[in-house]
Amino acid sequence: MADDKEQEPKQQAEGGAATPDPGATPRGEGTPQPQPKQKDKQKDKQKDKQKDKQKGKKPAEGQKPAPAEPEGPPPEPAPPPRLHEYYAQKVRPKLAQQFDLKNPHEIPKLVKIVLNVGMGDAPKNPKGLEAAVAELAAITGQQPVVTRAKKAIANFNLREGMAVGCSVTLRGARMYEFLDRFISIAVPRMRDFRGLPADSFDGRGNYTVGIKEQMIFPEIDYDKVEKIHGMDITLVTTAGRDDTAQALLRELGMPFRGESPVAVN
């Protein structure tokens, strides 16, 4: 029996290394170290993100950048137009009393102002159209829209879709600010001005006036003007009649021919 026990370890040594006991700890390696948990990994990632934000690095792909905090106090809102306040405080009550309008929605008001510039030589002179667009943008403070031909006319060498001019539609605060500048600054600079015609209404309360030169507006620089052109200005109101629309424009300070204009304070 003793000989059999001595032969077993020899056979194991000759055949290969003996299988280690799973419960026994390996020699010289010490105890196994525990692996880091998932919470520790998440904390490390958060710390790395905070460091990247402090250094100004861009966030990783697929992640939304953090919204930038505004510096300083928020900007103050722009004051309301002077002409709009005058209309709300003085013109509305006066029109309601003059035409005996009991419903406040029946009182006429401005809806929009449309400025239209026609350039007949726009197909042959595209730079002239670009200059007209830039001038109209400077006058109104709004980017114009290039108008195009709806039909093809052979006598005028005009094809459908060709650029023939530009136009701008003003509403809200820009509408009242433009009308205020037009009445108080631009109209008095007209050559041989004796008043605007009072018969330019279309029967539905809309008024259209034509201007021969764009030089009457102070926003235009004389040295940069390439070609003198005119424009049509249409004032669209909610009045269904010409008399109420004329009374509205008269109270806003429009100088009609043969009448003394109303002073807007």
Side-chain angles (χ1 to χ4, degrees), residues 22 28 42 73 75 77 79 81 84 106 110 140 155 188 196 207 241 248 250:
Q42 293 178 357
H84 180 63
E106 294 179 355
L110 279 175
T140 59
N155 294 334
L196 297 176
Y207 182 75
R241 302 179 303 177
L248 169 64
R250 184 187 299 110

Side-chain angles (χ1 to χ4, degrees), residues 77-251:
R82 179 178 69 100
L83 198 61
H84 180 63
E85 290 185 346
Y86 177 79
Y87 166 77
Q89 295 175 2
K90 297 184 179 181
V91 176
R92 284 180 61 88
K94 191 172 183 179
L95 291 176
Q97 183 180 3
Q98 181 179 354
F99 295 97
D100 193 15
L101 302 175
K102 298 180 180 179
N103 189 348
H105 298 287
E106 294 179 355
I107 301 174
K109 63 179 180 179
L110 279 175
V111 177
K112 60 183 178 179
I113 297 178
V114 181
L115 289 83
N116 183 22
V117 177
M119 302 291 291
D121 59 345
K124 298 179 181 179
N125 186 15
K127 291 185 179 180
L129 179 60
E130 293 178 1
V133 170
E135 291 172 357
L136 197 58
I139 292 171
T140 59
Q142 184 172 316
Q143 184 64 25
V145 176
V146 176
T147 55
R148 300 184 180 277
K150 297 180 180 179
K151 295 181 180 180
I153 303 175
N155 294 334
F156 298 130
N157 295 327
L158 190 65
R159 297 180 182 178
E160 183 178 358
M162 295 180 67
V164 293
C166 56
S167 65
V168 171
T169 302
L170 301 177
R171 291 184 175 88
R174 290 183 179 177
M175 173 185 67
Y176 283 101
E177 290 175 355
F178 170 78
L179 183 60
D180 194 2
R181 296 195 311 270
F182 177 72
I183 294 173
S184 59
I185 300 176
V187 169
R189 299 177 65 180
M190 288 184 180
R191 187 178 301 176
D192 299 333
F193 178 70
R194 297 182 181 179
L196 297 176
D199 56 351
S200 297
F201 292 90
D202 63 347
R204 299 180 181 178
N206 304 322
Y207 182 75
T208 302
V209 59
I211 296 176
K212 297 180 180 180
E213 298 178 357
Q214 79 276 26
M215 315 296 290
I216 62 174
F217 294 98
E219 294 86 1
I220 301 299
D221 190 0
Y222 287 87
D223 298 333
K224 296 182 180 179
V225 173
E226 296 183 0
K227 181 182 178 181
I228 296 177
H229 60 80
M231 66 182 68
D232 293 331
I233 301 177
T234 302
L235 285 74
V236 181
T237 66
T238 58
R241 302 179 303 177
D242 292 346
D243 56 347
T244 55
Q246 186 175 358
L248 169 64
L249 298 180
R250 184 187 299 110
E251 294 299 329

